[in-house]
């Protein structure tokens, strides 16, 4: 039994080892919970300091890799990609998004997969509307399946951005309004500010300046309260253009200067370029052509830099695409290996289960046999005991029979003796009777004398018979 128990223990340990190998990721341990918290902090910094977002998320990658927390690594990659998107490095952002997507797919994290598709759609929203919509639709399908209301609101916001760039302001406004309602419902104040900003931009483009000003100033105030530097910079661009259209140049210059400060703070080259161009437009509208010329020179320099950066980015994008193909191949290999490991795992579980069943049956069989043998042994002992009792009884009976036989032999001998004695005792009186009868027949004896003598003979015969009966009766009453 000890060897069987040891065998069971070994199998249990083997199964436990396999199970632990497949359940290392995504445990609700203090370390993994801390990484989730750090990733969320890094993500929240995107509107304040995207460079800090990148630095913090890189540290989170290392921390998550140390504890084999794959979803933590993937989320950190996604946040790094968002940081690079905010500092206008789309090629690097795309690289990190694909890294995150591959891991989320391997761990079957649908919520993470939807978020990355949404982020990739954002990268394309200014250059390729159809590609952007394709990724947004994929993200929306998954988000609807997992019922992530906050993500659904974000995707609606991004759809609004697409239709805004297509100049379909009515449809854009519908998406922004729907998105804002969802953000308020789930308590996402940050994205609600972005919705207010975008709705204000729509009203600006519809020349409803009063509505636009109210919404943009409210969004500006709330963004400052939450230290959303990138949002403030973006809002102030529209406020500058709005006050320029209204002819309130002092207000326009105020928000332009303030917004440029925030743009420099978040180190966004795109926002810096937009502010240089907006400054040129403001100076030109004010008919300060000299200042406008200087602003135009700055715009030209930035255009030149952007052209060089675009060439560099294009080359980098080709490199990234090549790496992505290689990474995809590696991911496919990894997925195949993981599938093989899963098959092996379930096969091991099945074999272990069958072994446990066989061992259970063997143990049950052994226990049943042992119980049967024990019962048979008890029966054999009982039969042996009964046999001994029968032998004793038979032996006692033989003794009794021997004694009875001897007694019968003695009685038979006595009976023979008595019979012989009786025959002698009775024959005498009977012979006398015969003689008397003959005498009486011949009238040789007196009749009375004959009767008297005959009575005497009968009495003797009767006495002898009684004596013999008493002797036999006495012999039969003797104890055995």
């Amino acid at each position: 039994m000890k060897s069987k128990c040891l065998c069971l223990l070994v199998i249990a340990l083997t199964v436990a080892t396999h199970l632990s190998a497949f359940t290392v990721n995504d445990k609700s341990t203090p370390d993994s919970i801390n990484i989730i918290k750090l990733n969320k902090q890094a993500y929240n910094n995107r509107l304040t300091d995207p460079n800090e977002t990148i630095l913090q998320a890189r540290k989170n990658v290392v921390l998550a890799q140390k504890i084999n927390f794959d979803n933590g690594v993937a989320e950190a990659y996604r946040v790094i990609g968002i940081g690079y998107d905010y500092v206008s490095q789309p090629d690097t952002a795309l690289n990190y998004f694909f890294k995150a997507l591959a891991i989320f797919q391997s761990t079957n994290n649908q919520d993470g997969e939807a978020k990355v598709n949404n982020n990739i759609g954002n990268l394309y929203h200014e250059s390729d509307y159809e590609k952007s919509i394709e990724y947004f639709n994929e993200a929306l399908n998954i988000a609807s399946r997992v019922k992530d209301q906050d993500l659904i609101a974000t995707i609606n916001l991004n759809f609004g951005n697409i239709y805004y760039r297509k100049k379909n302001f009515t449809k854009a406004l519908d998406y922004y309004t729907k998105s804002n309602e969802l953000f308020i419902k789930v308590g996402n104040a940050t994205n609600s500010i972005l919705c207010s900003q975008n709705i204000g931009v729509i009203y600006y483009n519809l020349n409803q300046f009063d509505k636009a000003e109210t919404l943009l100033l409210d969004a500006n105030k709330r963004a400052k309260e939450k230290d959303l530097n990138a949002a403030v910079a973006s809002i102030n661009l529209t406020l500058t253009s709005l006050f320029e259209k209204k002819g309130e140049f002092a207000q326009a210059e105020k928000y332009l200067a303030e917004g440029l400060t925030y743009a420099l703070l978040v180190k966004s080259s795109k926002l810096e370029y937009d502010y240089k161009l907006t400054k040129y437009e403001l100076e030109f509208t004010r008919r300060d052509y000299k200042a406008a010329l200087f602003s135009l020179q700055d715009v030209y320099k930035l255009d030149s830099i952007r052209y060089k950066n675009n060439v560099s980015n294009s080359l980098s994008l080709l490199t990234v695409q090549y790496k992505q193909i290689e990474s995809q191949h590696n991911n496919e290999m990894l997925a195949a290996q993981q599938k093989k490991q899963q098959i092996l795992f379930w096969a091991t579980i099945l074999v272990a289960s069958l072994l446990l069943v066989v061992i259970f049956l063997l143990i049950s069989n052994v226990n049943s046999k042992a119980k049967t043998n024990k019962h048979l042994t008890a029966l054999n002992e009982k039969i042996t005991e009964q046999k001994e009792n029968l032998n004793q009884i038979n032996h006692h009976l033989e003794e009794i029979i021997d004694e009875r036989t001897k007694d019968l032999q003695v009685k038979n001998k006595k009976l023979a003796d008595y019979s012989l004695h009786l025959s002698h005792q009775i024959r005498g009186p009977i012979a006398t009777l015969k003689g008397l009868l003959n005498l009486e027949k011949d009238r040789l004896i007196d009749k009375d004398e004959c009767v008297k003598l005959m009575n005497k003979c009968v009495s003797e015969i009767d006495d002898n018979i009684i004596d013999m009966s008493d002797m036999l009766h006495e012999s039969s009453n003797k104890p055995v």
Side-chain angles (χ1 to χ4, degrees), residues 201-214:
V201 171
I202 293 293
Y203 284 123
Y204 166 76
N205 282 276
L206 294 173
N207 294 321
Q208 297 183 32
F209 296 138
D210 291 338
K211 281 187 177 181
E213 182 180 345
T214 301

Side-chain angles (χ1 to χ4, degrees), residues 221-232:
K221 179 183 176 183
R222 288 193 288 155
K224 286 177 181 176
E225 288 173 353
K226 289 187 169 292
D227 293 325
L228 306 179
N229 298 333
V232 174

Side-chain angles (χ1 to χ4, degrees), residues 319-333:
T319 304
V320 168
Q321 288 174 348
Y322 171 76
K323 289 181 178 178
Q324 285 168 0
I325 293 171
E326 185 179 8
S327 175
Q328 186 176 1
H329 175 70
N330 291 334
N331 289 332
E332 289 174 355
M333 294 288 290

Side-chain angles (χ1 to χ4, degrees), residues 166-373:
K166 286 186 168 186
K167 306 298 182 183
N168 189 341
F169 299 132
T170 302
K171 202 162 186 178
L173 186 59
D174 288 340
Y175 273 107
Y176 288 148
T177 303
K178 187 191 302 183
S179 176
N180 192 38
E181 288 172 355
L182 278 175
F183 282 133
I184 292 172
K185 183 179 178 181
V186 298
N188 190 332
T190 299
N191 283 347
S192 176
I193 292 170
L194 299 181
C195 284
S196 295
Q197 173 194 348
N198 292 343
I199 294 171
V201 171
I202 293 293
Y203 284 123
Y204 166 76
N205 282 276
L206 294 173
N207 294 321
Q208 297 183 32
F209 296 138
D210 291 338
K211 281 187 177 181
E213 182 180 345
T214 301
L215 287 166
L216 291 169
L217 288 174
D218 177 65
N220 176 278
K221 179 183 176 183
R222 288 193 288 155
K224 286 177 181 176
E225 288 173 353
K226 289 187 169 292
D227 293 325
L228 306 179
N229 298 333
V232 174
S234 180
I235 293 166
N236 280 17
L237 266 176
T238 309
L239 281 171
T240 300
S241 298
L242 186 148
F243 286 120
E244 177 194 336
K245 287 280 183 72
K246 292 177 71 173
E248 299 177 13
F249 299 121
Q251 285 288 86
E253 193 162 342
K254 169 190 170 185
Y255 283 104
L256 186 143
E258 182 184 80
L260 181 59
T261 301
Y262 279 97
L264 293 171
L265 192 61
V266 297
K267 298 178 183 178
S268 171
S269 58
K270 181 181 181 302
L271 282 172
E272 289 180 41
Y273 175 82
D274 289 341
Y275 269 101
K276 294 290 184 183
L277 183 60
T278 303
K279 185 177 180 182
Y280 159 73
E281 292 172 349
L282 176 61
E283 299 296 347
F284 187 83
T285 303
R286 293 173 64 179
R287 300 179 184 275
D288 189 347
Y289 299 120
K290 185 176 180 181
L293 183 60
F294 283 116
S295 296
L296 189 61
Q297 287 176 344
D298 288 338
V299 172
Y300 172 76
K301 289 177 184 177
L302 288 174
D303 277 337
S304 177
I305 293 169
R306 287 188 71 180
Y307 172 76
K308 291 178 181 177
N309 288 337
N310 285 336
V311 172
S312 175
N313 288 341
S314 297
L315 293 174
S316 298
L317 191 57
L318 289 174
T319 304
V320 168
Q321 288 174 348
Y322 171 76
K323 289 181 178 178
Q324 285 168 0
I325 293 171
E326 185 179 8
S327 175
Q328 186 176 1
H329 175 70
N330 291 334
N331 289 332
E332 289 174 355
M333 294 288 290
L334 179 62
Q337 186 178 1
Q338 287 178 342
K339 187 175 180 181
K340 184 178 178 182
Q341 288 177 346
Q342 287 179 351
I343 293 171
L344 180 62
F345 167 71
W346 288 114
T348 304
I349 291 293
L350 179 61
V351 171
S353 300
L354 290 174
L355 283 173
L356 287 173
V357 171
V358 171
I359 289 169
F360 174 76
L361 291 174
L362 286 173
I363 292 173
S364 298
N365 191 28
V366 169
N367 290 336
S368 177
K369 284 185 176 180
K371 189 175 180 181
T372 303
N373 289 336

